Amino acid sequence: MITEVKTIGGYIELQLPQGNEHYPALIKLNTGRNALEYLLRIKKYTLVHLPYFTCEVLLEPLCRLNIPYRFYHIDSMLNPILDFEPGPTECLVYTNYFGLMQETVKKLSGQLNNLIIDNAQAFFSPPLEGIDTFYSCRKFFGVPDGAYLQANSNTRLSLDHDISIGRFSHLIKSIDLNIESAYPDYIRNNVCLVDNSIKKMSLLTQKILSGIDYEDCEKIRNANFKHLHKALSEKNELTIEVTDLKAPMVYPLLINNPELKQKLIDRKVFVATYWPNVLDWTTEDMLEHYLCKNIIPLPIDHRYHISDMDYMIDILKQLL
Ligand SMILES: Cc1ncc(COP(=O)(O)O)c(C=O)c1O
């Protein structure tokens, strides 16, 4: 075994704030999809029930491990339609949509045995005791990768650390240039995550995650979300409960207006589509197809203030 000798001196390295991670006790991995792989490997499920309305990268571990999957539907409240019963060696993955579905997660945890909660969109929704739950960090913070996993098992895989440095350019380029110039790098770095094997979280990602003021991020997200909700809830076809917010990922505005998204993008309000693959997986008569086409996920993160929310509301008023 090679033991590294402690170094002293040399050049001054990038200085990052020293604090604590939000989930220090959870298993630290390189990506959310690989956190799912971790669970599938240790639990040895024979079939996975996945929602039609989710991200296609979740299929990567299933293909790698050669585990069959079956899609299930959700209803207009984004709750799963459980018109089937998963067998004893099967599991059901439920996505905590936009970080707004903690009540459904609680309900499901009492209802199903082999439940996996995908909290990739719900970083601030704490894991429920005994429930397999995973998180993806890059949807919430300026990191290229990183995931946390709560696994209800004592089995642990022995893994090497990932190295993130080659996937970092968009995060620093956007500071020196701007977010649009760095966008091609973002796309390229996302592609690097495809079929990246399961590893421990990189030390670089962990270091950055240790320097974040999570309380502040949480507060800002909740305040921005409430502000948008107040202004837009009457137009929103989604029913959203705002009493116990868990710092959601975005404000999902559902409006039957498939052109609205492009109009916002033209005005430089960059909104994503969750998830383009859903259009391939579904037909036009399915709710999931409608959700994918018509949900506008408005940004509410720590970069923005109430004045930015008002700016978006003004643009929306002009467009609607
Ligand atoms: C709902 C959902 N789950 C899981 C993932 C996978 O996370 P990661 O990119 O960290 O593998 C994503 C996005 O990539 C996602 O949108």
Side-chain angles (χ1 to χ4, degrees):
M1 197 174 95
I2 303 167
T3 43
E4 282 203 24
V5 178
K6 180 181 169 69
T7 60
I8 295 191
Y11 62 86
I12 308 284
E13 294 157 87
L14 179 67
Q15 205 165 350
L16 292 165
Q18 285 182 6
N20 296 310
E21 287 169 81
H22 194 60
Y23 293 116
L26 300 194
I27 301 169
K28 302 164 215 286
L29 296 168
N30 56 349
T31 58
R33 67 201 84 173
N34 287 344
L36 175 61
E37 175 165 339
Y38 197 108
L39 286 171
L40 297 174
R41 282 212 219 171
I42 62 176
K43 301 263 170 141
K44 304 199 179 337
Y45 291 123
T46 57
L47 184 115
V48 178
H49 296 271
L50 276 182
Y52 277 104
F53 192 52
T54 198
C55 182
E56 65 184 347
V57 305
L58 291 185
L59 300 186
E60 285 178 30
L62 302 175
C63 294
R64 267 202 295 274
L65 301 176
N66 213 3
I67 301 175
Y69 55 91
R70 213 171 275 165
F71 288 121
Y72 68 84
H73 288 286
I74 53 168
D75 63 21
S76 60
M77 300 289 287
L78 312 180
N79 293 318
I81 299 178
L82 295 175
D83 53 1
F84 60 96
E85 204 174 317
T89 61
E90 301 172 7
C91 67
L92 181 137
V93 177
Y94 178 68
T95 305
N96 185 341
Y97 295 108
F98 313 110
L100 292 169
M101 304 304 294
Q102 190 73 345
E103 283 311 307
T104 300
V105 170
K106 282 184 194 158
K107 210 166 131 209
L108 287 175
S109 69
Q111 240 175 321
L112 293 170
N113 282 331
N114 300 332
L115 177 65
I116 297 179
I117 297 301
D118 175 352
N119 268 351
Q121 295 200 323
F123 187 85
F124 289 101
S125 300
L128 300 186
E129 207 186 324
I131 301 297
D132 292 337
T133 306
F134 67 86
Y135 297 84
S136 167
C137 307
R138 65 198 182 92
K139 316 286 179 330
F140 281 75
F141 309 107
V143 286
D145 48 37
Y148 289 105
L149 169 66
Q150 171 172 286
N152 188 24
S153 158
N154 291 326
T155 309
R156 291 290 176 267
L157 302 178
S158 162
L159 303 167
D160 293 329
H161 276 286
D162 202 351
I163 307 275
S164 296
I165 188 65
R167 301 190 285 263
F168 226 81
S169 54
H170 61 291
L171 296 168
I172 42 183
K173 233 184 221 182
S174 64
I175 299 174
D176 236 0
L177 303 172
N178 58 53
I179 199 157
E180 285 167 276
S181 319
Y183 190 67
D185 287 51
Y186 168 72
I187 299 294
R188 238 187 337 268
N189 292 331
N190 270 352
V191 172
C192 293
L193 293 178
V194 175
D195 280 328
N196 186 20
S197 60
I198 180 167
K199 295 200 184 83
K200 282 190 212 161
M201 184 187 288
S202 80
L203 296 175
L204 177 54
T205 295
Q206 194 183 349
K207 174 86 184 160
I208 295 169
L209 290 172
S210 303
I212 289 171
D213 183 342
Y214 290 101
E215 218 176 288
D216 198 47
C217 292
E218 211 172 345
K219 258 194 234 148
I220 295 171
R221 280 182 181 275
N222 283 336
N224 286 342
F225 189 99
K226 281 186 188 152
H227 195 75
L228 287 186
H229 189 61
K230 207 164 151 203
L232 300 171
S233 61
E234 276 182 13
K235 296 209 180 313
N236 198 347
E237 291 173 26
L238 276 183
T239 310
I240 299 173
E241 183 49 67
V242 289
T243 43
D244 187 22
L245 279 184
K246 297 273 184 285
M249 184 173 75
V250 290
Y251 181 78
L253 176 64
L254 177 60
I255 292 190
N256 188 0
N257 185 342
E259 284 83 46
L260 183 58
K261 188 177 284 177
Q262 190 53 49
K263 287 183 188 162
L264 282 169
I265 294 170
D266 293 342
R267 299 283 298 266
K268 290 191 186 282
V269 177
F270 298 124
V271 285
T273 294
Y274 296 114
W275 292 262
N277 54 277
V278 174
L279 298 179
D280 300 328
W281 290 356
T282 57
T283 49
E284 279 190 19
D285 55 326
M286 292 184 188
L287 173 70
E288 290 86 350
H289 202 93
Y290 180 77
L291 296 175
C292 178
K293 269 198 167 154
N294 293 294
I295 286 182
I296 313 260
L298 296 169
I300 53 159
D301 59 78
H302 50 265
R303 294 172 290 180
Y304 305 115
H305 304 284
I306 296 295
S307 56
D308 300 303
M309 300 300 107
D310 283 332
Y311 176 75
M312 281 196 290
I313 293 164
D314 268 355
I315 292 181
L316 279 163
K317 278 191 184 146
Q318 292 164 32
L319 296 176
L320 287 172

